[in-house]
Amino acid sequence: MSGLDGRWLATFVPVAVLLALWHVAVVTSGSLIFPTPWQVVVGLVDLARQGLLLKHVVASLFRVTYGYLLAAALAIPVGMLMGRFATAHALLNPLVQGLRPISPIAWIPLAILWFGVGDLSPIFLIFLSSFFPMVVGTAAGVMTIDRKLIRAASNFEFTGFQLFRSVVLPAALPQIVTGMRIGLGVAWLVVVAAEMIAVNSGLGYLIIDSRNAGNRYDLVVAGMVAIGVIGFLLDTLMRKLERLDEVRWRYET
Amino acid sequence: MRPKIEVRGIAKTFPTRSGPLPVLDGISFSVADGEFVAVIGPSGCGKSTLLGVLAGFERPDRGEVRVDGEPVREPKRTGIYIFQQPALSPWLDLEGNLVFGLNGASPEERPRLVAHYIALVGLEGFEHTFPHQLSGGMQQRAELARALMVKPEILYMDEPFGSLDALTRLRMRAELLRILVA
């Protein structure tokens, strides 16, 4: 058995066992509302045929993209300031550490109060949820830069922006990317929760609507499966980023 | 003749948890152009601090350092510091690290220059190797090449071979003398 076959088998067997147990549990309990795996597959195909699956996936991804990119655009510069300048750190770190433990879900009422029911509320919640991991990762990345590297660069007369571009950014990049990966993961978790309350599209809405409009638990689970698959794909994408030469050195030294 | 480096009464104290720690106090000496000076003392006696002040990384609390009669205010490429542990950029290959030292200067003769200094320290064939793939001795040689390539007038060497094994250390010392004489 080759290594590749082994890996496929290791993935396939637990999934198959889970599906089998699930099927047997539904059949033996005689549940009328909980779907079998096959019913979920049929539900997924149905959603895809009606174009609903694509519509909700696109809606969720659209919100994540906006909220996440806004967060990255603010978190990375702020994190760099905090990492580089003690004053910025002293001023901002208490705020960051104080706000960070508040679950984005707790912000939902305020989000609706400020931004109403619509796309802005979930975008704001995604922004909040992914901002903190990226700020913390970036600040830590910049703060832990080997002092020798900064000194060596100043010895070769690097100053200001040059020093930043040639040393600070590349040295901190691996931790920035890790922060971005964690941020995207959290953003994907939060978009679903936000869509259950504040909007009428997206995978979160699909789930809550399938339940409310007729206890279609096959579609509820189908939505969950779609969330899982897309979340996995997003994380795979970010892992690819971690394997770039510019980032990988950090894990090899 | 005016000395290359003049050190006049420098003092440096570091704050620590158990109160201020005076590291340098009333140090004065001068070094002539072309002179090779070794600073000797037990670890923790302030050798690195002294070199850091000379190179302009740290300001003394009192006193003054002059190079060519000019007070030292910041690090300059005319005086390159070589660290006890290699300070190469881990995200750049050997060639990239040497070019880094040029800081954008002399683009025309750059390839020839890089090749020359890589050969000088005997690292031909490792141009596209990353620092962590090189041994400690090779990294120190690369750092020496990077320093020499900017044609510094002064090298501040902070136990550059201190982290190497005894045999490599002996060889590196001999090589350093050979290169400096050349």
Side-chain angles (χ1 to χ4, degrees):
Chain A
M1 193 173 71
S2 77
L4 191 66
D5 284 348
R7 242 192 17 225
W8 276 109
L9 217 59
T11 310
F12 178 75
V13 170
V15 173
V17 169
L18 178 73
L19 291 177
L21 284 175
W22 173 2
H23 180 83
V24 170
V26 173
V27 170
T28 53
S29 69
S31 170
L32 293 176
I33 54 170
F34 199 83
T36 62
W38 181 247
Q39 285 170 320
V40 170
V41 172
V42 172
L44 263 175
V45 171
D46 251 15
L47 284 174
R49 275 217 190 112
Q50 297 167 41
L52 285 175
L53 186 63
L54 188 68
K55 179 195 154 203
H56 290 307
V57 167
V58 168
S60 293
L61 283 176
F62 152 84
R63 292 180 189 120
V64 165
T65 307
Y66 272 81
Y68 177 70
L69 290 183
L70 272 174
L74 190 66
I76 294 171
V78 168
M80 292 203 144
L81 282 178
M82 286 174 65
R84 196 83 185 91
F85 302 105
T87 318
H89 192 266
L91 288 173
L92 295 174
N93 197 48
L95 285 181
V96 168
Q97 299 304 339
L99 292 173
R100 193 165 70 112
I102 302 173
S103 163
I105 312 297
W107 285 86
I108 289 179
L110 292 187
I112 292 173
L113 180 69
W114 291 337
F115 301 105
V117 172
D119 282 330
L120 272 183
S121 281
I123 289 175
F124 169 71
L125 294 169
I126 290 155
F127 170 87
L128 268 183
S129 64
S130 49
F131 177 80
F132 292 108
M134 289 195 272
V135 133
V136 171
T138 305
V142 173
M143 280 198 318
T144 55
I145 294 175
D146 189 347
R147 201 177 59 143
K148 286 196 310 279
L149 296 179
I150 304 279
R151 285 195 158 189
S154 68
N155 208 170
F156 292 107
E157 298 180 10
F158 284 82
T159 51
F161 182 70
Q162 269 181 315
L163 180 73
F164 172 81
R165 204 191 52 136
S166 308
V167 183
V168 176
L169 187 62
L173 195 60
Q175 271 181 276
I176 295 175
V177 168
T178 302
M180 288 176 73
R181 191 180 143 216
I182 297 170
L184 187 58
V186 181
W188 190 243
L189 290 178
V190 166
V191 72
V192 175
E195 286 168 346
M196 289 189 167
I197 291 143
V199 285
N200 52 16
S201 65
L203 291 167
Y205 170 78
L206 169 69
I207 288 177
I208 207 74
D209 185 56
S210 300
R211 193 200 77 100
N212 291 344
N215 282 340
R216 288 292 302 275
Y217 281 95
D218 54 337
L219 301 186
V220 169
V221 179
M224 292 170 68
V225 170
I227 289 164
V229 169
I230 291 165
F232 174 77
L233 291 178
L234 289 177
D235 196 57
T236 308
L237 208 72
M238 294 307 283
R239 275 176 191 278
K240 283 223 159 36
L241 221 53
E242 284 185 342
R243 279 199 285 272
L244 293 177
D245 272 349
E246 286 75 13
V247 175
R248 215 178 41 185
W249 59 267
R250 174 95 194 193
Y251 306 102
E252 291 179 353
T253 44
Chain B
M1 206 180 87
R2 190 174 64 194
K4 185 76 182 168
I5 307 173
E6 292 170 85
V7 180
R8 289 191 205 140
I10 59 169
K12 180 91 188 161
T13 300
F14 287 111
T16 65
R17 270 186 208 160
S18 47
L21 179 73
V23 177
L24 301 175
D25 192 11
I27 307 270
S28 301
F29 62 93
S30 57
V31 180
D33 201 4
E35 205 176 348
F36 193 121
V37 177
V39 180
I40 296 170
S43 66
C45 75
K47 301 187 295 291
S48 297
T49 305
L50 175 64
L51 275 184
V53 170
L54 295 189
F57 291 139
E58 292 180 58
R59 307 293 296 268
D61 299 334
R62 271 179 291 128
E64 189 182 48
V65 178
R66 283 171 182 264
V67 171
D68 288 328
E70 289 289 314
V72 172
R73 296 183 204 288
E74 66 213 341
K76 285 237 161 69
R77 57 200 292 120
T78 46
I80 298 293
Y81 194 103
I82 297 191
F83 296 84
Q84 191 165 5
Q85 302 283 332
L88 300 167
S89 301
W91 56 89
L92 296 174
D93 63 12
L94 194 52
E95 193 179 293
N97 265 292
L98 260 67
V99 171
F100 177 89
L102 291 175
N103 190 359
S106 67
E108 242 172 72
E109 49 171 342
R110 188 184 283 175
R112 197 185 53 77
L113 210 60
V114 169
H116 174 76
Y117 281 97
I118 284 184
L120 186 69
V121 295
L123 285 175
E124 303 101 320
F126 292 98
E127 287 82 357
H128 300 295
T129 309
F130 285 85
H132 67 267
Q133 296 166 318
L134 296 169
S135 70
M138 290 161 97
Q139 289 183 38
Q140 280 297 16
R141 277 189 276 161
E143 190 156 334
L144 189 60
R146 180 175 74 173
L148 293 172
M149 199 168 71
V150 300
K151 303 201 164 57
E153 293 161 21
I154 307 168
L155 280 182
Y156 300 104
M157 293 187 283
D158 182 7
E159 297 190 48
F161 310 135
S163 59
L164 305 178
D165 64 83
L167 274 178
T168 316
R169 191 158 59 226
L170 285 175
R171 230 191 54 231
M172 291 288 294
R173 279 189 195 139
E175 271 189 55
L176 177 69
L177 289 174
R178 170 182 69 79
I179 289 166
L180 292 185
V181 167

